[in-house]
Amino acid sequence: GVQTCALRSPQTRCEVVTLEDKHALARPGETGEICFRGPQVMLGYWQRPEATEEVIIDGRLHTGDVGHIDADGFVFITDRLKEMIIASGFKIYPRNVEEAIYAHPSVKECAVIGVGDAYRGQTVKAVIALKTGATLAIEELNRFLSDKLSPIEIPKVVEFRDELPKTAVGKIQKKILIDEERAKAALQTEISK
């Protein structure tokens, strides 16, 4: 009845724990953190007990990946725990928001991140690059997303760029966007002093 499956490796199990309680297994199909247990899972980090306690809980290796296991035992990874946005207590998965934005025909690429918000704690920001010659107003984007996302998921901040920062192999680097936001926030704090 809980979300767990055996893998092809001997004595290896994949389990999903709830996002609220790292000790509780998720219900079938419920989204949570993907974990592994088995003889090949590491015992811990060398001489780093605090780091070990963060990733080895109840004998499970916590991967930091968010996902679920379907009825056939297939594991689906849908996001990263570190990228999850918590706005007004609601958990928002950037990948869901990105997939909805990518459905717009004018969008070439996008990245969704959480940014600080005095009222919500965090809010959703989308950084978008449009296809050559395309235009897209924020109001039009909001209308487009209104039947695809809940109101809390729709980006409250939208920034258009010619292109997004990428690695040498073309993967969008969200860390750079997050670091830029942190630098802006630090500058605002310094200015307001």
Side-chain angles (χ1 to χ4, degrees):
V2 294
Q3 204 175 156
T4 181
C5 71
L7 300 179
R8 291 183 186 271
S9 301
Q11 301 175 328
T12 302
R13 298 190 74 76
C14 177
E15 300 172 324
V16 178
V17 297
T18 65
L19 296 174
E20 292 75 28
D21 181 354
K22 290 181 178 281
H23 301 281
L25 287 172
R27 295 184 307 275
E30 181 183 0
T31 296
E33 184 179 7
I34 295 173
C35 303
F36 292 97
R37 68 166 72 232
Q40 78 282 41
V41 172
M42 70 173 188
L43 298 175
Y45 292 105
W46 175 253
Q47 297 183 341
R48 294 176 55 204
E50 300 84 11
T52 299
E53 286 173 14
E54 287 179 23
V55 297
I56 306 288
I57 302 169
D58 301 333
R60 296 182 191 97
L61 173 65
H62 288 245
T63 64
D65 291 316
V66 174
H68 66 277
I69 300 172
D70 74 4
D72 297 317
F74 289 98
V75 179
F76 292 84
I77 298 173
T78 53
D79 228 313
R80 288 286 297 156
L81 202 55
K82 288 180 180 176
E83 293 182 3
M84 185 172 63
I85 301 164
I86 301 177
S88 299
F90 292 95
K91 293 176 176 66
I92 299 165
Y93 300 102
R95 187 165 164 183
N96 288 348
V97 181
E98 288 165 356
E99 286 175 2
I101 293 171
Y102 271 117
H104 194 285
S106 294
V107 174
K108 179 175 77 175
E109 55 192 20
C110 76
V112 170
I113 60 173
V115 295
D117 182 274
Y119 179 70
R120 294 180 179 89
Q122 278 189 307
T123 197
V124 180
K125 176 176 180 176
V127 183
I128 299 172
L130 299 177
K131 293 176 181 171
T132 305
T135 59
L136 179 61
I138 293 172
E139 298 76 20
E140 181 190 341
L141 177 65
N142 287 344
R143 278 193 304 276
F144 178 79
L145 297 174
S146 65
D147 65 344
K148 297 168 183 59
L149 299 171
S150 69
I152 196 88
E153 292 175 301
I154 292 176
K156 304 296 180 276
V157 183
V158 178
E159 179 183 339
F160 293 102
R161 295 189 179 189
D162 292 336
E163 61 181 72
L164 275 60
K166 294 186 202 67
T167 64
V169 294
K171 185 178 185 297
I172 293 172
Q173 291 187 296
K174 283 189 183 181
K175 186 178 182 324
I176 289 177
L177 299 173
I178 291 166
D179 288 346
E180 287 174 2
E181 290 299 323
R182 286 189 181 136
K184 284 182 203 170
L187 184 61
Q188 280 300 114
T189 303
E190 196 62 36
I191 289 170
S192 63
K193 282 183 181 177

